[in-house]
Amino acid sequence: MKISLIPILLLAFMSTIDQITLEDLRWKNRVLLVFPVGANSENQFIPENDTLQGEMEERDMVYFVFGDSLKTNSEFSFATEYIEQLRAKHTLGSKKDCYVLIGKDGGTKLRREQSKIDWEELFGTIDAMPMRMREMNEKDDSH
């Protein structure tokens, strides 16, 4: 039985097409990286209600929860090696749940070691950023 390599090669290519680095999101998205410690704790970091999803969308936010499997509100993924680099860089060896907000400029804007995201603090941090203030002013001016 002959197996065509074309579908296998296409599948391999398609699986890597959306693998990115944070640099690919720079100037496009604010990024929330979440590093839960326990496998069962990863779901508590996923914004499930429409209000939170809307707030994130309005702020050009994407999130990545690095639990047993990657959970995200985007079509993007990271290579396994890159995930380990992100984990080492942003958890700083902590054994606690951790989340990190990366601004559109690629800089770390907020880092917390806690088992629940403080959405008010997170959105407040974003809304205080000069770029976000410009975005809100432009939105107000367009109405």
Side-chain angles (χ1 to χ4, degrees):
M1 175 181 243
K2 238 182 179 180
I3 298 176
S4 174
L5 287 178
I6 293 174
I8 295 169
L9 290 174
L10 262 176
L11 188 60
F13 175 74
M14 289 173 64
S15 68
T16 61
I17 203 165
D18 291 328
Q19 286 192 347
I20 60 165
T21 66
L22 290 180
E23 189 61 34
D24 295 312
L25 298 173
R26 194 176 203 173
W27 303 116
K28 298 174 196 137
N29 295 97
R30 293 174 182 93
V31 180
L32 179 63
L33 304 175
V34 182
F35 303 96
V37 174
N40 294 334
S41 68
E42 67 188 57
N43 289 330
Q44 70 192 16
F45 289 104
I46 300 169
E48 294 182 2
N49 70 49
D50 291 339
T51 303
L52 281 178
Q53 293 285 1
E55 294 284 335
M56 291 179 80
E57 223 172 88
E58 183 179 316
R59 290 167 176 86
D60 299 326
M61 281 185 70
V62 292
Y63 69 81
F64 299 92
V65 179
F66 302 103
D68 285 341
S69 62
L70 178 66
K71 295 185 175 48
T72 181
N73 63 337
S74 74
E75 68 274 9
F76 304 118
S77 183
F78 299 110
T80 305
E81 304 81 39
Y82 189 68
I83 291 172
E84 291 311 310
Q85 290 173 12
L86 290 173
R87 186 181 309 281
K89 178 180 179 179
H90 294 291
T91 63
L92 305 171
S94 174
K95 302 292 184 212
K96 297 179 181 178
D97 293 329
C98 174
Y99 62 91
V100 179
L101 173 65
I102 308 293
K104 283 187 174 182
D105 65 357
T108 300
K109 306 303 180 186
L110 181 71
R111 182 185 176 280
R112 293 288 181 260
E113 289 183 12
Q114 53 196 49
S115 59
K116 190 172 183 183
I117 294 174
D118 183 339
W119 293 103
E120 191 173 311
E121 178 187 32
L122 185 75
F123 293 144
T125 299
I126 292 170
D127 291 345
M129 295 176 186
M131 187 179 296
R132 173 66 180 147
M133 293 171 127
R134 277 194 305 276
E135 292 168 358
M136 291 187 294
N137 286 336
E138 288 170 7
K139 182 180 175 186
D140 288 343
D141 292 344
S142 68
H143 286 112

